[in-house]
Amino acid sequence: MREEGDYLIYDGRQCKLNTVPVDVLIIGGGVQGLVLLDELKRQGYSAALTTNSCLGSGQTLHSHGLLNSGYWIIRPELRKTLKEIVLPAAEEMGLQIYGEDQWFIVAPSSLSEKLCPGWKACGYEYEEVNIGSLPSGFQEGELRYRADSIRVFQINEYNYPKRQLIRLLSKGMDEHILYGDIVSFHCAPSEQNTLPENRERTITVDTVEIRLHDTGENVILTPKFIITAAGTGTKRLIRSLQAETSCIESLTASGADAGAWKQRMEEQLGKVKINKLHMICIKAPLGILPAASVVLFEYGLLIVAHVNQDHDDVQHDDRDYVTWYVTPVDPDQTSYDDAPDQAHAEVNKELTAAGINNLLRAYPALRQAAEKSDSLVRFTVFAGYKQDIGDQMGVPLCESLEGFDNVILTLPSVSINAWINAKNAISLISTRAKANEFTPILPFGGSGAKVGVVNELSDTVEWMRWKELLQAFPGIAQQGAARSLAE
Ligand SMILES: Cc1cc2nc3c(=O)[nH]c(=O)nc-3n(C[C@H](O)[C@H](O)[C@H](O)COP(=O)(O)OP(=O)(O)OC[C@H]3O[C@@H](n4cnc5c(N)ncnc54)[C@H](O)[C@@H]3O)c2cc1C
């Protein structure tokens, strides 16, 4: 509810009214939102970003920290975006990427026969190596009995410190970032129906009201465009916009069929799938775990190795510890319609235990090192909701929201796509809005949106010794009980 003058009455409280016009309001402070903010700045648009949690603390800081260019899904657009846009951007901002010399895929021969032609056709670099090229711990596991039925490839993927990426992208942007909750949108019938690819667009969002977390004060933004970069919170955000009274009124005023419009919007949102990914984190001195990343197809495991503990300052003296981020494939994967904005999910104990059992079969040295009473090996497990588009992995979405003439949805599905989405979103905008100066210093910008803590290093996450891990996940096989191919 709004009053004229300097104050706003919301929820029975009197709040100071601060109205700021911007070219673009970005909603969501993960990698997608921050790449958009950076790109809009470069193009001279005035832009503000609002986020309801610390920067990065959705999927972005839950991730493996891999610039996934799609070796196991073969998506040449990802490889092209990596080479042409993301690696140069990483160099320019000083992002310390690493790991490309120690990345392997171990695949059954039958699958290799499909992967190799795909890699060749799409320009993925790879070299077939013998099993002896894998770190020695893998050669002591079951793989040694499978030399005839598997093939090993050295590939060219890159890992990155995820918190460092968020810190670098948000550097110097404090005054353009709001930390708060959207309390209302205001919509009006469109004056111009100009975006050419959708003739049925009828509504403009002209006002967004945000309550700041730190002060409780409200800021009102009047953006020309809104870009949602809300990750797993996207559906809830769009449905809350759809439910605004002014939205329904604007529709009715423009003579549109509200029921049909809602249905079209739900069909659009239906493309957004939310899946769950588990992450088994293992931290150990280098040597016990090699700084090598491996996809083990037959064990349904993705292992991404990191050499810096805080995912921020990569220094040589941190290289004495390695953390493995191990994701087991879930054979019963189900999609969810909704998930928390910050992507945090419940852990499935059976899936985790099965993943650890598979890992121990492929890399038995881990158990030996972890069991010792003075062992320095530590474990933690978490799960995160991951947004995808349709049934395929790595597909980005950047398109106008059904029924609106100034709202654009961006969903990257993997981090690399944040850059391509930013380019595409700006090209949608540029047909209608010329860039202003990148000026507005928001009255309450910099009001507390800090770079988030990497999920596994937050206070709520407990790192366990081996015995504690066994207690927490009773399905982990005791020594000798794991089924072995050698037997
Ligand atoms: C466990 C896991 C591992 C992954 N591993 C990889 C990997 O190794 N490589 C890779 O490329 N990709 C990986 N992904 C996917 C990748 O992390 C995501 O594609 C990417 O981080 C999405 O970025 P985003 O900015 O769109 O969303 P997010 O990082 O989820 O950010 C969205 C932000 O929007 C905010 N928000 C939501 N709703 C609102 C609202 N209403 N108002 C204000 N703010 C809002 C949230 O708080 C959040 O901060 C992984 C994902 C998961 C879950």
Side-chain angles (χ1 to χ4, degrees), residues 10-155:
Y10 178 78
D11 234 359
R13 291 176 49 207
Q14 194 180 48
C15 306
K16 212 170 173 188
L17 183 65
N18 299 281
T19 303
V20 186
V22 285
D23 289 334
V24 184
L25 172 64
I26 302 158
I27 303 175
V31 63
Q32 179 65 81
L34 290 168
V35 168
L36 275 162
L37 185 62
D38 179 57
E39 197 55 35
L40 285 161
K41 176 183 182 182
R42 284 166 194 269
Q43 304 288 327
Y45 286 96
S46 71
L49 181 151
T50 185
T51 193
N52 62 7
S53 67
C54 289
L55 300 171
S57 56
Q59 296 164 87
T60 306
L61 289 178
H62 280 78
S63 84
H64 299 87
L66 157 68
L67 291 175
N68 187 345
S69 71
Y71 269 91
W72 42 98
I73 45 180
I74 309 194
R75 197 163 284 290
E77 317 85 79
L78 285 177
R79 193 75 191 154
K80 190 168 149 54
T81 306
L82 173 75
K83 293 270 175 180
E84 293 177 8
I85 305 178
V86 182
L87 291 181
E91 189 174 352
E92 190 191 327
M93 75 175 100
L95 182 70
Q96 294 171 291
I97 51 181
Y98 51 76
E100 69 277 17
D101 52 343
Q102 284 294 307
W103 245 106
F104 299 92
I105 285 188
V106 181
S109 303
S110 51
L111 178 61
S112 308
E113 277 156 28
K114 292 185 189 136
L115 288 174
C116 293
W119 290 339
K120 254 189 210 136
C122 300
Y124 284 87
E125 295 131 48
Y126 70 98
E127 185 187 350
E128 183 153 11
V129 293
N130 63 37
I131 196 169
S133 302
L134 286 173
S136 57
F138 289 103
Q139 296 167 45
E140 292 156 14
E142 281 185 10
L143 289 177
R144 69 185 191 275
Y145 304 113
R146 298 190 164 192
D148 291 343
S149 62
I150 56 165
R151 289 168 69 183
V152 181
F153 302 94
Q154 185 146 17
I155 61 165

Side-chain angles (χ1 to χ4, degrees), residues 239 242 261-270:
R239 286 171 184 150
Q242 187 192 61
W261 164 72
K262 269 193 181 177
Q263 196 180 336
R264 285 202 308 276
M265 193 189 272
E266 280 303 323
E267 276 164 22
Q268 188 179 23
L269 293 182

Side-chain angles (χ1 to χ4, degrees), residues 264-339:
R264 285 202 308 276
M265 193 189 272
E266 280 303 323
E267 276 164 22
Q268 188 179 23
L269 293 182
K271 289 191 274 191
V272 182
K273 303 283 178 201
I274 300 172
N275 301 307
K276 214 190 221 192
L277 278 191
H278 278 69
M279 197 79 93
I280 302 161
C281 308
I282 309 168
K283 186 160 57 180
L286 178 64
I288 292 175
L289 295 183
S293 303
V294 191
V295 177
L296 293 166
F297 272 104
E298 282 186 306
Y299 295 87
L301 295 175
L302 163 67
I303 303 170
V304 179
H306 280 275
V307 290
N308 66 312
Q309 290 193 55
D310 67 357
H311 279 273
D312 200 335
D313 292 316
V314 180
Q315 289 172 4
H316 285 294
D317 57 359
D318 283 332
R319 287 174 186 262
D320 51 358
Y321 261 82
V322 170
T323 307
W324 272 8
Y325 292 81
V326 184
T327 291
V329 170
D330 183 352
D332 303 318
Q333 180 81 266
T334 42
S335 264
Y336 301 81
D337 183 52
D338 203 6

Side-chain angles (χ1 to χ4, degrees), residues 19-27 40 46-50 178 182 184-187 203-210 219-227 241 405-407 429 432-433 436 440 442:
T19 303
V20 186
V22 285
D23 289 334
V24 184
L25 172 64
I26 302 158
I27 303 175
L40 285 161
S46 71
L49 181 151
T50 185
L178 296 168
I182 295 173
S184 71
F185 293 98
H186 185 267
C187 304
I203 310 170
T204 299
V205 180
D206 57 15
T207 310
V208 181
E209 188 180 321
I210 297 157
V219 181
I220 291 185
L221 298 181
T222 52
K224 287 188 196 144
F225 282 94
I226 292 175
I227 306 181
L241 167 60
D405 78 346
N406 71 336
V407 181
I429 287 170
R432 280 211 18 220
N436 277 336
L442 297 173

